[in-house]
Amino acid sequence: MTWNKSLTTLGILVWVGIIAVLLWVGTQTPTPQPVLTLAYSDFMVKLDQGAVKTAKIEGYKLEGTLTNNAHYTTITPEDPNLPAQLLRHRVHVVVVPPQSGSTLVTLLSWLPFLLIAGVWIFILFSSRNQTGNRFGFGKSRAKLITPAQTHHVTFADVAGIDEARSELQEIVEFLRSPQKFERLGGRIPKGCLLVGPPGTGKTLLARAIAGEAQVPFFSISGSEFVEMFVGVGASRVRDLFEQAKKSAPCIVFVDEIDAVGRKRGLSYSGTNDEREQTLNQLLVEMDGFDTREGVILLAATNRPDVLDPALLRPGRFDRRIQLSNPDITGREQILQVHVRKVPLAQDVDIRALARGTPGLSGADLANLVNEAALLAAHRNEALVNARDFDDAKDKIMMGSERRSLVMSAKEKKITAVHESGHALVTLYSPDHDPLHKVTIIPHGRALGATLSLPERDRFGYSRRELGTRLAILFAGRIAEEMYFGSDDTTTGASDDIKQATELARRMVCEFGFSTKLGLISFEDADHGPAYEGLFPGRKAVSEETASRIDEEIVRLTNEAASSAREILSSHRSELDNLVEALLEHETLSGSQISELLGHNLPKRQETQGFLTAAQ
């Protein structure tokens, strides 16, 4: 590094000196002698008198010396007889071609070429210290994390992904004691691909492996390989693997590998673009290193479908580990990890908190704990209590409260009616999740929200459950129509209608819940002019089939709307009571609503919860 800095400084000083010398040479001229400027007629008089000794003709300029050694200059007209007259008076004549410019101009015209030559010389000298990486362009930008920096991240900090952790445990054992596997002829996988949605702990799991094995950890993003200069990415790949081999045993982690590992042949710029060269070099390097060298390649992506098949074949990424959002047990374990340094009040129930956060990833749960701690600090509390977690959960799932938004009395009542419709249909739907909370305080983009939470994780839905979800989505609009009439309903149900239409379309086209169309999936087909817009980029369907799909979607939505209208009409008095309570308290919990309307509600089934909101 010192040699490189000294070389750079020396090069700069050398070029500053060269430029200074060129400018000095160009500006140097001999000390001028007094020159007599003559008119042409006066010059001819002196010529006739024999007073001219020498003459130098340069275009229209004539200069020379007189017999008394005085220097003269004059401008001559275009006279072809002038040389003959000078020779007749025995004048020493010199004829020179006209000059195109001064010495300085000539030197400056050569300066760009000299600079280019100097730059190339500087590159050749500097490459001696950079192993062929000109100015460091081809040098790997991977961040090296030493064992001293990774020891505090272990498997104890990774929760909710027990299966993935157990699969990667053998990599740790190999890095610790490779002889255990080599003794029986075993070969550790060269590469492991971590696949999962954002926030599921792919990067944290990779660092935990390095922390458990106590080995160096090279971390780089796939986008850092690709540059506008062709060949730079391939050079960085070579340099990365060279560094890894020098630091073996070690782990190389490439995050978002889909940025460089996309399928080849799909680029508009041809097959020889920078991205493909980088991928080709990565494939060659993965074939070139031996697992006995102790270099393990880990990569993470949330888009495995776009990766090149050559990258996924055995011998490169031998193992593919799937990570997903945690279930209720996993969420509880993750929360236990993140609350270790947070002082909790006695009323905080981690199990209940895990139950109330369905679908959240590990990163979301970490953010939940952090938001609760920030709220407690803002309120000057000594401990983080259940209220802080509840408010933080609402902020994450529904958006921040917007109490500064001023709503008129009419708008507030419309919102209360809308959310009461959602809540009442939820209460009287035994195959849906329990009602958790209803609020008419604006959150994010929504003017109000109705939240249902599941009692356990579910991974499948029945046709009845999906029909209930459709009815709940339409309940807000139906309640508005019952109160204000169809002409005075608002646009608040636009998002509900959009969600319901999409759900009905999936019921028909994906889930096979249409008795008219049968068990046929239309999701893999290519759209044609017969049904433009419904299946973008997919296979064509006939006019008749497209019409039947439309009819089935309309039938499902109409049935759901009728079901919601029937429930609200049968319990109109309870709807009125709920509207009045919301206008008074603004936010009601599920237990408060059950107490308000009575305890003779239908028994519920356990399903996956969801959120409906009036936009």
Side-chain angles (χ1 to χ4, degrees):
M1 181 61 70
T2 305
W3 160 250
N4 190 28
K5 289 183 177 179
S6 302
L7 182 60
T8 302
T9 306
L10 177 61
I12 294 174
L13 293 176
V14 167
W15 280 107
V16 170
I18 291 174
I19 294 173
V21 169
L22 291 175
L23 293 176
W24 178 80
V25 170
T27 55
Q28 295 303 305
T29 57
T31 303
Q33 297 181 4
V35 178
L36 179 63
T37 303
L38 300 176
Y40 184 68
S41 59
D42 295 337
F43 169 76
M44 295 303 296
V45 170
K46 291 187 176 294
L47 181 62
D48 293 337
Q49 295 174 353
V52 179
K53 182 179 181 181
T54 65
K56 183 173 70 172
I57 302 173
E58 184 177 358
Y60 293 101
K61 184 179 179 182
L62 180 64
E63 61 182 8
T65 57
L66 302 176
T67 53
N68 58 0
N69 292 327
H71 288 267
Y72 70 90
T73 181
T74 186
I75 302 299
T76 66
E78 187 175 352
D79 186 1
N81 297 322
L82 179 61
Q85 294 179 358
L86 292 173
L87 293 174
R88 191 179 327 117
H89 289 86
R90 300 184 180 275
V91 176
H92 184 277
V93 178
V94 177
V95 179
V96 296
Q99 295 185 2
S100 59
S102 64
T103 305
L104 177 61
V105 173
T106 303
L107 292 175
L108 291 178
S109 65
W110 281 92
L111 186 58
F113 301 99
L114 295 175
L115 289 175
I116 293 174
V119 168
W120 279 108
I121 293 173
F122 178 74
I123 290 175
L124 292 175
F125 276 106
S126 63
S127 64
R128 294 180 181 178
N129 193 49
Q130 297 185 19
T131 321
N133 297 322
R134 308 297 192 253
F135 296 114
F137 289 152
K139 197 170 183 63
S140 171
R141 296 182 179 179
K143 181 180 179 182
L144 173 61
I145 303 175
T146 61
Q149 297 172 296
T150 59
H151 75 279
H152 62 281
V153 181
T154 63
F155 282 148
D157 301 300
V158 182
I161 45 177
D162 297 335
E163 295 83 0
R165 186 171 58 183
S166 62
E167 285 194 60
L168 293 172
Q169 182 67 44
E170 67 180 46
I171 293 181
V172 175
E173 295 178 5
F174 173 80
L175 292 172
R176 285 178 175 174
S177 54
Q179 298 81 8
K180 175 182 176 181
F181 296 88
E182 295 172 354
R183 179 175 58 87
L184 299 176
R187 180 179 62 84
I188 201 70
K190 287 185 178 181
C192 292
L193 182 65
L194 306 178
V195 180
T200 50
K202 300 185 288 295
T203 303
L204 181 64
L205 186 59
R207 294 193 62 177
I209 296 172
E212 289 282 345
Q214 286 294 285
V215 295
F217 180 78
F218 291 88
S219 178
I220 190 171
S221 172
S223 60
E224 295 185 57
F225 287 113
V226 181
E227 290 283 353
M228 64 178 292
F229 303 105
V230 177
V232 173
S235 177
R236 287 177 179 173
V237 171
R238 288 191 296 270
D239 187 68
L240 172 62
F241 280 89
E242 287 177 5
Q243 293 183 35
K245 291 174 184 177
K246 293 177 182 178
S247 303
C250 67
I251 292 175
V252 177
F253 177 63
V254 182
D255 198 8
E256 304 296 345
I257 194 173
D258 51 275
V260 68
R262 288 176 176 268
K263 295 178 182 178
R264 290 168 290 184
L266 301 179
S267 175
Y268 291 104
S269 57
T271 58
N272 294 322
D273 63 353
E274 165 67 359
R275 190 185 304 275
E276 291 195 4
Q277 288 197 25
T278 305
L279 175 58
N280 292 337
Q281 186 63 43
L282 178 61
L283 298 176
V284 170
E285 292 294 338
M286 292 187 69
D287 281 336
F289 74 88
D290 193 341
T291 54
R292 290 175 296 182
E293 297 174 345
V295 179
I296 303 296
L297 180 63
L298 297 179
T301 181
N302 52 16
R303 302 186 63 191
D305 54 305
V306 303
L307 294 180
D308 194 278
L311 194 63
L312 302 177
R313 73 161 177 79
R316 290 184 178 128
F317 282 111
D318 303 282
R319 185 164 298 177
R320 180 169 170 174
I321 300 175
Q322 185 72 39
L323 304 177
S324 58
N325 288 332
D327 56 13
I328 184 171
T329 304
R331 293 195 298 272
E332 183 178 4
Q333 295 173 354
I334 293 172
L335 288 170
Q336 291 287 1
V337 170
H338 291 299
V339 300
R340 287 184 302 193
K341 298 181 180 180
V342 177
L344 300 179
Q346 293 294 330
D347 61 347
V348 177
D349 187 350
I350 299 298
R351 179 70 179 180
L353 189 60
R355 171 182 167 270
T357 52
L360 296 190
S361 65
D364 295 327
L365 296 173
N367 186 38
L368 172 64
V369 175
N370 183 62
E371 288 288 347
L374 294 178
L375 285 174
H378 181 70
R379 295 166 178 170
N380 296 319
E381 297 170 348
L383 301 173
V384 182
N385 54 43
R387 178 195 169 200
D388 299 322
F389 277 102
D390 193 49
D391 292 343
K393 179 176 61 178
D394 291 344
K395 181 179 180 181
I396 292 174
M397 301 183 72
M398 297 187 294
S400 302
E401 287 188 3
R402 294 192 297 162
R403 290 187 176 272
S404 59
L405 180 63
V406 179
M407 298 173 59
S408 65
K410 181 178 180 180
E411 290 173 332
K412 194 172 182 180
K413 184 173 182 179
I414 292 174
T415 304
V417 170
H418 186 103
E419 298 304 330
S420 296
H422 287 311
L424 196 64
V425 175
T426 302
L427 284 172
Y428 282 94
S429 299
D431 50 3
H432 196 262
D433 303 323
L435 183 65
H436 174 65
K437 178 182 291 187
V438 181
T439 180
I440 58 174
I441 299 174
H443 286 73
R445 297 175 53 193
L447 299 180
T450 302
L451 181 64
S452 299
L453 292 179
E455 294 179 346
R456 66 179 179 86
D457 291 309
R458 288 287 301 273
F459 305 100
Y461 303 92
S462 68
R463 187 187 185 284
R464 180 179 299 169
E465 291 167 348
L466 295 180
T468 300
R469 292 185 65 177
L470 286 177
I472 294 173
L473 286 168
F474 287 126
R477 167 57 68 85
I478 301 301
E480 288 187 37
E481 291 180 357
M482 293 174 60
Y483 265 78
F484 308 108
S486 58
D487 292 336
D488 290 327
T489 54
T490 66
T491 59
S494 60
D495 190 64
D496 296 332
I497 296 173
K498 182 179 179 180
Q499 291 185 46
T501 304
E502 175 62 19
L503 177 57
R505 188 194 66 81
R506 296 188 67 188
M507 290 174 67
V508 174
C509 299
E510 288 186 51
F511 306 143
F513 287 154
S514 169
T515 56
K516 290 186 177 181
L517 294 173
L519 303 179
I520 299 177
S521 174
F522 297 97
E523 284 301 295
D524 296 330
D526 206 286
H527 90 282
Y531 210 48
E532 185 74 31
L534 179 61
F535 303 104
R538 298 184 174 130
K539 198 177 269 188
V541 294
S542 66
E543 292 279 357
E544 181 182 356
T545 302
S547 178
R548 292 168 65 186
I549 290 174
D550 281 341
E551 292 174 0
E552 285 296 280
I553 292 174
V554 172
R555 182 182 64 82
L556 289 174
T557 55
N558 287 341
E559 287 179 358
S562 299
S563 176
R565 183 175 286 106
E566 181 180 353
I567 293 175
L568 294 177
S569 299
S570 302
H571 303 277
R572 176 59 187 264
S573 60
E574 296 176 359
L575 179 63
D576 295 337
N577 294 337
L578 184 54
V579 171
E580 295 300 325
L582 275 178
L583 289 174
E584 181 180 355
H585 301 287
E586 293 187 331
T587 300
L588 295 174
S589 66
S591 58
Q592 290 174 331
I593 295 175
S594 297
E595 184 177 355
L596 173 68
L597 303 182
H599 300 279
N600 55 343
L601 296 175
K603 185 178 180 181
R604 302 185 172 279
Q605 298 180 7
E606 297 172 343
T607 60
Q608 182 71 22
F610 72 105
L611 177 69
T612 57
Q615 297 298 320

